[in-house]
Amino acid sequence: MPPLSSAHRGEVWGSRLIYSFADCVLDTGRRELRRGDLLQPIEPQVFDLLEYLIRHRDRLVSRDEILAAVWNGRIVSEATLGTRINGVREAIGDKGSEQRLIKTLYGRGLRFVGMVHEKSAGTILEKNGAITESFAAPKRRFSLAVKDVPAILVRPFTPISNDAGTRLFADGLTEDVSIALSASDWFFVLSRHSSFAEADKHNARYFLQGSIRQSAGQARIGVQLVDGATGYHLWARNYDIDSAHLLRVQEDIAKSIATAVEDQVFASEAMRAKSKSPESLTAWEHIASALALMNTRQKHHVRTARAHLFKAAALDPKSAHAYSLLSFVTTLAVHLGWNSREASKPIALGFAQKALAMDSDEPWGHLALGYATLHTANKPEEAIEILNYALALEPNLSMAHYFIALASTYAGRPAVAFKHADLAEQLASRDLLARGNAGAANTVRATASFVAGRYRDGMAYARKALAQSPRQIPAFRQVVISSSFAGETEQARLALQSVKRFSPNVRQWLEESAPIYSRKHDYQKYVEGFRMAGLK
């Protein structure tokens, strides 16, 4: 389904249930939970359990009902069930000692007792500068669309003890780690019950294994990521925890393990591709190589990334992902000040449109189209609309939030930009495109601070961005303009030298930037900041 036209923005074109209770809003369509203004991280089974309790809040729900609804009747340990219940309580701010929202009747079941307001809602994209609701279409699987993506087999964690509690914890942690890893869209996660034949069939290049031992009130969880081909340990870590707190921290440990494993697998895949001859690379390996290179934000690496993407498209001519990324790197060269907007516009838009012609529901294609619409077609409002649709298709798309934040700044709505910057940062570990793009959220916060007239804040955010990623040209630009208006002329001058070193065509970039800004005053102030720093 194509993005809505600006004439139809705000119309309802989908339906779902929204539950409001206490300071929380549970959106069943987007599968999101908010507390106050913050999006809460929540695991799929925790979400399902919370939704089930709310939908059946008129009565007591038994343990067997929960297992049938959330686990499809599978037998799970009491520790796993207890962890999910604790996860629900933590997510909604309900303490087990108080039970003001969820009552536990031991031996009988659970009941949601909080006051709930229920409504049926459809899609409302961003309207009048406010972040509102958006439709959540079924998630697309990158791993199903791209050939030869890796798979990870999660082996059962081994309890080095005959203690029943340790065995239950090992079982629950294995399941939590599998669930946390499954939230990623760019590799397969094989069940702990998978055989080695299945692992070989699904191209399992990695094995995750671990052990749990307890002694003198302390528990040590050891985890290793193993290369399936060589048997080498790629990553290992110990977690030392007070035994009394095991269940409380189980889900946090699982998330920490999953994040570390994703980082290691991506780095390993990039190195694996680098060690092979160019002619032997698969389409996935070309894409992995391109992502690793383009996220360095170095000109020669981005150029090489572009070559990899052309090869990926040649190997898989129907790869919407390869064409989406070709659009992305074309726009990136404009964003970083290397290439002309006018010359790049038909190329960036053309690649994005080609990707969407292959698959109209591909989130990366809509992301690329929104990025190109913002930075080459100079249409921030239209870009926001397209990027919102990308988020409807893939709610974990961190880069879409980043670009919406940037477009909102250009449109003169810095408050909205800050909200999306926060979401971009929260979701960065879930988004393959955001991997390696450290500092982006702080860069857009710096831009929004400048537009809002908070120059000292702009300087601070830009410095944080550069500490995270020292070659960020947009962050150096923000140091220039915020420092100029804050009266820090020497800092502005030094930052301008860095901008010129990484992006020599800074004057041309400034001249071509004028149409992006909805408020001409913001653009004039931007140019004045560079003039005050010494740009002739």
Side-chain angles (χ1 to χ4, degrees):
M1 181 173 182
L4 298 177
S5 69
S6 56
H8 294 89
R9 183 180 301 166
E11 287 188 353
V12 174
W13 49 283
S15 62
R16 65 192 191 283
L17 291 175
I18 306 290
Y19 297 108
S20 302
F21 55 93
D23 62 341
C24 300
V25 176
L26 187 77
D27 184 329
T28 63
R30 291 200 67 177
R31 293 184 64 81
E32 286 183 352
L33 173 68
R34 290 182 180 274
R35 278 175 64 189
D37 291 329
L38 296 179
L39 183 67
Q40 297 295 306
I42 186 167
E43 296 296 335
Q45 286 183 337
V46 174
F47 186 98
D48 291 342
L49 176 55
L50 175 58
E51 181 185 356
Y52 191 79
L53 291 174
I54 292 175
R55 279 197 289 116
H56 299 279
R57 60 190 179 277
D58 59 328
R59 60 181 177 82
L60 187 70
V61 176
S62 71
R63 178 187 184 277
D64 289 342
E65 276 188 82
I66 292 171
L67 294 180
V70 180
W71 280 273
N72 297 316
R74 285 193 297 116
I75 297 174
V76 299
S77 66
E78 287 294 332
T80 297
L81 180 58
T83 299
R84 297 297 180 274
I85 294 169
N86 289 337
V88 170
R89 291 193 188 279
E90 182 179 355
I92 63 178
D94 186 33
K95 294 180 180 178
S97 57
E98 297 175 356
Q99 299 192 12
R100 61 189 179 87
L101 296 175
I102 299 174
K103 290 288 185 187
T104 301
L105 281 76
Y106 290 99
R108 297 179 60 196
L110 302 169
R111 184 178 175 189
F112 193 95
V113 295
M115 180 70 70
V116 178
H117 297 282
E118 177 180 330
K119 68 174 181 176
S120 178
T123 297
I124 305 173
L125 300 180
E126 185 175 340
K127 186 173 182 181
N128 299 327
I131 298 174
T132 54
E133 301 153 5
S134 61
F135 175 78
K139 184 176 179 181
R140 304 285 294 190
R141 294 293 299 177
F142 175 92
S143 51
L144 293 176
V146 178
K147 298 174 184 176
D148 197 44
V149 297
I152 301 174
L153 174 62
V154 181
R155 289 171 170 162
F157 279 53
T158 305
I160 308 177
S161 166
N162 290 323
D163 174 68
T166 304
R167 291 198 300 273
L168 287 173
F169 177 75
D171 182 66
L173 184 59
T174 304
E175 185 172 347
D176 276 359
V177 170
S178 297
I179 290 168
L181 285 170
S182 296
S184 289
D185 189 31
W186 60 275
F187 54 72
F188 289 108
V189 180
L190 303 181
S191 137
R192 55 181 167 160
H193 304 295
S194 299
S195 66
F196 281 96
E198 288 174 308
D200 185 59
K201 175 184 175 183
H202 289 283
N203 193 27
R205 291 201 278 271
Y206 304 96
F207 297 89
L208 185 67
Q209 57 196 33
S211 63
I212 296 101
R213 70 180 73 201
Q214 294 197 62
S215 176
Q218 291 290 310
R220 167 163 286 189
I221 302 165
V223 191
Q224 304 91 34
L225 179 67
V226 180
D227 186 312
T230 64
Y232 293 153
H233 282 65
L234 298 174
W235 171 82
R237 182 174 173 183
N238 288 328
Y239 297 81
D240 293 318
I241 302 154
D242 187 326
S243 294
H245 300 151
L246 279 178
L247 290 180
R248 190 185 311 166
V249 300
Q250 177 176 313
E251 201 165 311
D252 290 338
I253 293 170
K255 290 176 184 176
S256 175
I257 291 170
T259 298
V261 167
E262 288 179 54
D263 288 341
Q264 293 297 324
V265 168
F266 182 75
S268 177
E269 287 293 291
M271 286 301 296
R272 180 173 171 270
K274 195 173 181 180
S275 68
K276 295 175 68 173
S277 61
E279 60 274 9
S280 68
L281 296 181
T282 64
W284 154 247
E285 287 166 340
H286 279 299
I287 288 175
S289 299
L291 286 166
L293 288 165
M294 61 193 261
N295 281 339
T296 66
R297 301 309 193 245
Q298 296 183 44
K299 192 172 184 178
H300 64 287
H301 283 164
V302 173
R303 189 182 300 118
T304 306
R306 184 183 176 89
H308 274 293
L309 294 169
F310 274 117
K311 290 176 182 176
L315 287 170
D316 185 2
K318 296 182 179 179
S319 175
H321 291 91
Y323 284 104
S324 298
L325 288 177
L326 279 167
S327 172
F328 193 99
V329 294
T330 303
T331 305
L332 179 64
V334 174
H335 188 180
L336 298 181
W338 300 332
N339 292 348
S340 160
R341 272 189 170 81
E342 199 57 38
S344 302
K345 177 180 175 180
I347 302 169
L349 292 174
F351 281 137
Q353 288 159 355
K354 186 167 185 175
L356 292 173
M358 294 174 176
D359 185 350
S360 62
D361 285 337
E362 173 46 54
W364 283 18
H366 290 284
L367 180 80
L369 182 62
Y371 189 28
T373 299
L374 174 63
H375 268 288
T376 68
N378 306 323
K379 297 176 180 178
E381 297 290 356
E382 187 175 328
I384 289 170
E385 189 174 313
I386 296 167
L387 294 163
N388 265 312
Y389 189 74
L391 281 172
L393 293 166
E394 175 47 85
N396 289 333
L397 208 52
S398 168
M399 292 301 289
H401 282 294
Y402 167 63
F403 292 142
I404 291 173
L406 202 57
S408 298
T409 300
Y410 293 149
R413 298 195 295 272
V416 175
F418 273 102
K419 292 179 181 179
H420 279 288
D422 292 345
L423 290 168
E425 194 166 60
Q426 289 172 30
L427 295 170
S429 65
R430 303 281 80 174
D431 183 2
L432 183 59
L433 279 169
R435 195 164 294 279
N437 193 26
N442 278 319
T443 299
V444 79
R445 288 184 184 115
T447 311
S449 295
F450 177 78
V451 169
R454 293 158 40 194
Y455 308 123
R456 293 283 173 183
D457 287 349
M459 290 171 60
Y461 283 126
R463 291 294 181 194
K464 283 182 184 178
L466 289 169
Q468 294 169 294
S469 181
R471 296 184 64 91
Q472 273 211 72
I473 297 170
F476 277 118
R477 291 176 190 148
Q478 296 310 314
V479 175
V480 171
I481 58 178
S482 287
S483 297
S484 292
F485 278 87
E488 302 289 347
T489 308
E490 183 61 18
Q491 288 193 41
R493 188 184 64 77
L494 291 173
L496 178 58
Q497 290 178 6
S498 296
V499 172
K500 287 179 175 178
R501 184 167 70 253
F502 295 131
S503 177
N505 301 325
V506 59
R507 174 163 288 284
Q508 178 186 344
W509 185 88
L510 277 172
E511 290 171 353
E512 291 185 341
S513 296
I516 295 181
Y517 288 84
S518 298
R519 300 191 308 181
K520 296 306 176 188
H521 168 72
D522 290 335
Y523 171 70
Q524 291 165 358
K525 192 168 69 166
Y526 200 102
V527 173
E528 178 64 12
F530 273 88
R531 189 199 63 76
M532 292 163 68
L535 183 67
K536 304 297 184 183

